[in-house]
Amino acid sequence: MSCQTVNLETGMPTVEAARARMSQALRMARAGRVKVVKLIHGYGSSGSGGRIKADVQLQLARKKQAGEIREYVKGEDFSAFSPAARRILDACPEMARDRDYARANHGVTVVLL
């Protein structure tokens, strides 16, 4: 399997619990030789952006800088117009058929391991 989806918002977790779930999911995906992980973090019930989303993207930026992941792209940028999205599609072409591809979904982030 080269692509996997992980729902971080199941059970309405705290930011800390969602962060731990994400870290564990990324470790397990890497161990399972998964290339791309789509994280579902939601956009917040207020519609103005959720705390889990902000934390996920902050953690991913840190992981990219530390060399723990190769790339990530916010759902709202996940389209052919994004260089990061094109790198992800090169690694996992089936992501072009993902329901969130080119849909500007603010509730997901896609990670290239």
Side-chain angles (χ1 to χ4, degrees):
M1 174 190 297
S2 60
C3 305
Q4 179 179 355
T5 299
V6 176
N7 190 337
L8 299 178
E9 63 179 356
T10 299
M12 298 180 62
T14 63
V15 171
E16 294 77 18
R19 182 185 310 141
R21 188 179 293 169
M22 176 186 72
S23 293
Q24 180 182 15
L26 293 177
R27 279 193 305 275
M28 291 177 66
R30 179 172 278 115
R33 298 188 183 263
V34 172
K35 294 179 184 177
V36 175
V37 177
K38 180 172 85 170
L39 300 170
I40 300 172
H41 46 65
Y43 185 53
S45 58
S46 67
S48 62
R51 289 181 31 210
I52 292 174
K53 173 187 176 171
D55 187 70
V56 162
Q57 292 176 350
L58 175 66
Q59 297 305 316
L60 291 174
R62 290 177 178 164
K63 288 179 181 299
K64 183 177 177 185
Q65 187 174 6
E68 296 175 32
I69 64 170
R70 291 172 46 199
E71 190 65 79
Y72 73 96
V73 64
K74 299 173 184 177
E76 55 266 33
D77 298 327
F78 187 44
S79 73
F81 298 105
S82 164
R86 288 194 301 272
R87 286 189 287 278
I88 289 169
L89 292 175
D90 286 344
C92 186
E94 59 261 37
M95 288 301 291
R97 294 185 304 276
D98 185 87
R99 65 179 291 200
D100 292 313
Y101 181 67
R103 292 277 179 109
N105 183 346
H106 292 260
V108 302
T109 299
V110 183
V111 181
L112 176 61
L113 299 176

